[in-house]
Amino acid sequence: MKLYKKMLAATALAVLMAGSASAKTLVYCSPASPEGFDPAAYTGGDTFDASSRTAYNRLVEFKHGETTIEPGLAETWEVSEDGLEYTFHLRKGVKFQTTDFFTPTREFNADDVIFSFERQSKKDDPWHAYTSGVSYEYFDSMEFPTLIKEIKRVDDHTVTFVLSRPEAPFLADLAMDFASILSKEYADKLQADGKMDNLNQAPVGTGPFTFVAYQKDAVIRYKANPDYWNGKQPIDDLVFAITTDPAVRAQKLKAGECHIMSYPAPADIEGLKADSNLKVDEQAGLNVAYFAYNTLKAPYDKPEVRKALNMAINKQAIIDAVFQGSGQVAKNPIPPTMWGYNDAIKDDPYDPEAAKKMLEEAGVKDLKMKLWAMPVSRPYMPNARRTAELMQSDFAKVGVQAEIVSMEWGEYLKKSSDKDRDGSVILGWTGDNGDPDNFLGVLLGCAGVGNNNRAQWCYQPFEDLIQKAKVASNQEERAKLYEEAQVIFKEQAPWATLAHSTVFMPMSSKVSGYKMDPVGIHRFDGVDIAE
């Protein structure tokens, strides 16, 4: 029987919360189940919360609550003058977690770093396709297969990444979740035992929390890693109580059944703020919600059709009805809080009559479309179903009949990447590293077609600009190139940009040390709770 099936029943959640008599337990009401526990194989934030930010570390890390790079499993590093070699000096004495299913016999070393990256790049590696349907969307869409020429093992505690070209955001990219470092020894054991699937079901890392148990769609349990290189955490047990309905998450928080919740419904925020037992942190989100056309499919292969449909959408009505004061209309594919944002861009006006005329001039009549709506609330989109209903009504006014489509979240993410997808997709993005390339390159670059580029849009003038920006070392020069790229994006309209949201994080007043993160993940290292 697979390991994840040997887990605690949902009815045991109260026991999980209580822990032992002397243990401190923190319960987080999570909005969705993880797609798996291998952070390299996915792009979803809930998956990262449950894997990379609990069980794992990276060579470099983002400072808690910032996008500033700081040492992680690498204590120091040097970059060659030509920007083609990055040498990392690894932290000594770091232990992998001991669990019920694995006991390490050695400490972290260079072999683990090489394994963690080469399994993503080398198609002949036995770990490249170790489980059904596995893919490496971030690694591929960020062009790492062609970027990393070689990883040299200098000694046990030194590795050098040799690049084929300079890459300005490379260090920031290595702090992202897909670059988490796994145990090669654990992988070798799983391979020898014929249990390779367990790499994605039972994580073993060097991070602050050790995985204990998972019951799908119900609960994930962790304990503080007693051997964590950065010190044992203030809490003893961490529980993810998976609760898909935001109203139910709010009820659980108020009832004390969980201590922190994410993505409250906008209608619930004032009530949560008014509760004297709670506190609600907030910050401008480094995010965008968008509606991506499949530009490989007619008639969405025509920019004039996409522009017309964009003009049919009443985005302010979506902000008013769905975000209820917690968002702003988006005109660009990057948020206004990010460097390189082009504020001179003029947004497409809401003009149904002009939109209808443009569709007629493009020869589009009686258009029927599938309008995909996410099944979960996200920081960039609190209610995709309601948004889809509003858009459905808007499209009807210009003679377009839209059918709303939804499905399970993991399936939605997977199928929305398909180049043959039938339909246009509501989705969004929270920046991973504070760099514009993480939006413009990952979401709209040619390398992302078939994975993170949900518009399946590869447009050479745009591609040339973002490639130049990636190799430029001067941020001012890079910003100008990204500003030009946003002009082309607006002209070509592979998306309708919908909104940038304000992110709220309600929690018990007993919680201390929690920091909201600009890259949208939820970290519980450093968090404490009063007895």
Side-chain angles (χ1 to χ4, degrees), residues 77-121:
W77 54 89
E78 300 102 36
V79 184
S80 62
E81 287 189 15
D82 60 8
L84 296 179
E85 293 194 2
Y86 287 69
T87 298
F88 295 92
H89 302 280
L90 307 181
R91 196 178 294 276
K92 296 178 181 179
V94 175
K95 296 180 180 180
F96 279 99
Q97 297 147 354
T98 297
T99 70
D100 291 343
F101 48 87
F102 177 68
T103 301
T105 64
R106 65 163 176 82
E107 295 177 343
F108 157 74
N109 66 30
D111 294 335
D112 304 304
V113 176
I114 294 170
F115 164 73
S116 298
F117 287 93
E118 287 193 345
R119 73 188 182 101
Q120 299 183 62
S121 63

Side-chain angles (χ1 to χ4, degrees), residues 79 90 230 332 340 464:
V79 184
L90 307 181
N230 204 22
N332 288 326
D464 290 343

Side-chain angles (χ1 to χ4, degrees), residues 32 82 86 183 185 196 246 278 304 314 349 379 455:
D82 60 8
Y86 287 69
S183 165
E185 183 186 16
M196 294 175 75
L278 306 177
E304 59 269 30
N314 187 344

Side-chain angles (χ1 to χ4, degrees), residues 437-516:
D437 175 71
N438 186 246
F439 285 79
L440 301 179
V442 173
L443 303 182
L444 294 159
C446 293
V449 171
N451 46 60
N452 279 323
N453 186 337
R454 260 61 180 199
Q456 316 302 342
W457 182 66
C458 178
Y459 187 64
Q460 202 58 46
F462 179 90
E463 181 74 11
D464 290 343
L465 287 170
I466 62 171
Q467 291 298 336
K468 286 179 183 177
K470 287 177 76 168
V471 300
S473 57
N474 180 285
Q475 184 169 306
E476 185 178 352
E477 179 185 353
R478 295 184 71 211
K480 288 179 180 178
L481 291 165
Y482 287 132
E483 288 171 10
E484 292 178 43
Q486 288 165 75
V487 173
I488 293 175
F489 167 88
K490 205 65 184 179
E491 292 170 350
Q492 293 295 310
W495 298 350
T497 50
L498 299 178
H500 306 294
S501 76
T502 302
V503 180
F504 296 89
M505 203 70 192
M507 65 193 78
S508 166
S509 57
K510 295 180 179 181
V511 172
S512 61
Y514 183 87
K515 294 183 180 180
M516 292 190 72

Side-chain angles (χ1 to χ4, degrees), residues 157-412:
H157 295 95
T158 312
V159 292
T160 297
F161 284 71
V162 181
L163 307 186
S164 60
R165 58 184 180 270
E167 183 86 353
F170 185 64
L171 272 178
D173 292 345
L174 291 185
M176 290 169 55
D177 303 84
F178 80 97
S180 296
I181 305 301
L182 280 63
S183 165
K184 184 178 186 302
E185 183 186 16
Y186 178 48
D188 289 344
K189 181 179 184 299
L190 291 177
Q191 187 174 3
D193 292 345
K195 298 178 179 179
M196 294 175 75
D197 279 359
N198 280 1
L199 191 75
N200 195 33
Q201 298 169 11
V204 172
T206 59
F209 297 99
T210 300
F211 174 84
V212 175
Y214 171 45
Q215 181 181 349
K216 186 173 173 58
D217 300 329
V219 62
I220 317 171
R221 183 185 172 196
Y222 310 85
K223 63 181 179 181
N225 178 4
D227 300 319
Y228 185 42
W229 57 268
N230 204 22
K232 191 259 177 193
Q233 297 306 300
I235 57 173
D236 301 296
D237 296 299
L238 174 64
V239 176
F240 280 35
I242 298 164
T243 312
T244 56
D245 189 323
V248 177
R249 291 199 297 276
Q251 291 168 6
K252 285 185 175 182
L253 182 66
K254 287 185 173 184
E257 294 178 27
C258 60
H259 305 112
I260 302 178
M261 69 165 286
S262 58
Y263 318 144
D268 291 336
I269 291 170
E270 288 308 311
L272 291 166
K273 287 182 176 180
D275 191 320
S276 60
N277 294 315
L278 306 177
K279 54 186 175 180
V280 181
D281 291 350
E282 65 181 86
Q283 67 179 14
L286 193 73
N287 62 39
V288 63
Y290 61 80
F291 182 61
Y293 305 103
N294 186 345
T295 62
L296 296 178
K297 297 277 190 178
Y300 312 105
D301 54 343
K302 297 180 179 180
E304 59 269 30
V305 172
R306 303 192 296 260
K307 292 284 279 188
L309 292 171
N310 285 0
M311 292 170 64
I313 301 171
N314 187 344
K315 295 195 285 189
Q316 188 58 54
I318 293 172
I319 295 296
D320 294 342
V322 177
F323 290 81
Q324 299 184 24
S326 63
Q328 65 183 89
V329 167
K331 63 181 181 180
N332 288 326
I334 65 174
T337 51
M338 176 170 275
W339 63 268
Y341 181 83
N342 190 344
D343 198 33
I345 295 286
K346 300 296 183 185
D347 200 9
D348 298 315
Y350 169 56
D351 192 336
E353 289 303 316
K356 192 172 184 178
K357 184 178 179 182
M358 286 177 66
L359 289 172
E360 291 172 354
E361 291 174 350
V364 176
K365 295 181 180 179
D366 302 319
L367 177 62
K368 295 181 180 180
M369 69 186 305
K370 291 186 178 179
L371 198 169
W372 288 35
M374 300 148 43
V376 296
S377 55
R378 307 302 300 150
Y380 48 76
M381 175 53 67
N383 190 333
R385 179 77 191 193
R386 178 63 179 136
T387 298
E389 290 168 352
L390 293 169
M391 292 171 63
Q392 182 183 50
S393 176
D394 288 338
F395 288 142
K397 294 173 185 175
V398 299
V400 175
Q401 183 179 335
E403 174 193 354
I404 298 174
V405 175
S406 194
M407 62 198 74
E408 186 271 331
W409 182 223
E411 185 182 10
Y412 188 97

Side-chain angles (χ1 to χ4, degrees), residues 2-156:
K2 292 183 176 179
L3 184 66
Y4 73 85
K5 291 183 178 178
K6 299 179 182 178
M7 304 307 179
L8 301 168
T11 52
L13 179 58
V15 176
L16 287 174
M17 290 177 63
S20 66
S22 59
K24 282 187 179 182
T25 299
L26 182 81
V27 181
Y28 164 56
C29 272
S30 170
S33 298
E35 301 153 271
F37 289 89
D38 179 355
Y42 304 102
T43 62
D46 294 305
T47 296
F48 295 153
D49 292 343
S51 60
S52 48
R53 299 298 167 172
T54 48
Y56 294 110
N57 291 118
R58 289 137 294 281
L59 290 174
V60 294
E61 303 279 6
F62 293 122
K63 191 174 182 180
H64 209 162
E66 302 178 17
T67 54
T68 306
I69 298 297
E70 65 179 8
L73 292 177
E75 289 186 297
T76 60
W77 54 89
E78 300 102 36
V79 184
S80 62
E81 287 189 15
D82 60 8
L84 296 179
E85 293 194 2
Y86 287 69
T87 298
F88 295 92
H89 302 280
L90 307 181
R91 196 178 294 276
K92 296 178 181 179
V94 175
K95 296 180 180 180
F96 279 99
Q97 297 147 354
T98 297
T99 70
D100 291 343
F101 48 87
F102 177 68
T103 301
T105 64
R106 65 163 176 82
E107 295 177 343
F108 157 74
N109 66 30
D111 294 335
D112 304 304
V113 176
I114 294 170
F115 164 73
S116 298
F117 287 93
E118 287 193 345
R119 73 188 182 101
Q120 299 183 62
S121 63
K122 294 186 175 182
K123 293 184 178 180
D124 60 350
D125 189 298
W127 285 98
H128 185 75
Y130 72 93
T131 190
S132 177
V134 69
S135 64
Y136 303 101
E137 289 189 37
Y138 268 123
F139 195 86
D140 292 341
S141 63
M142 296 171 71
E143 302 180 74
F144 268 44
T146 59
L147 173 65
I148 299 175
K149 189 175 180 179
E150 181 185 6
I151 306 176
K152 294 181 179 178
R153 187 190 198 283
V154 180
D155 57 41
D156 275 0

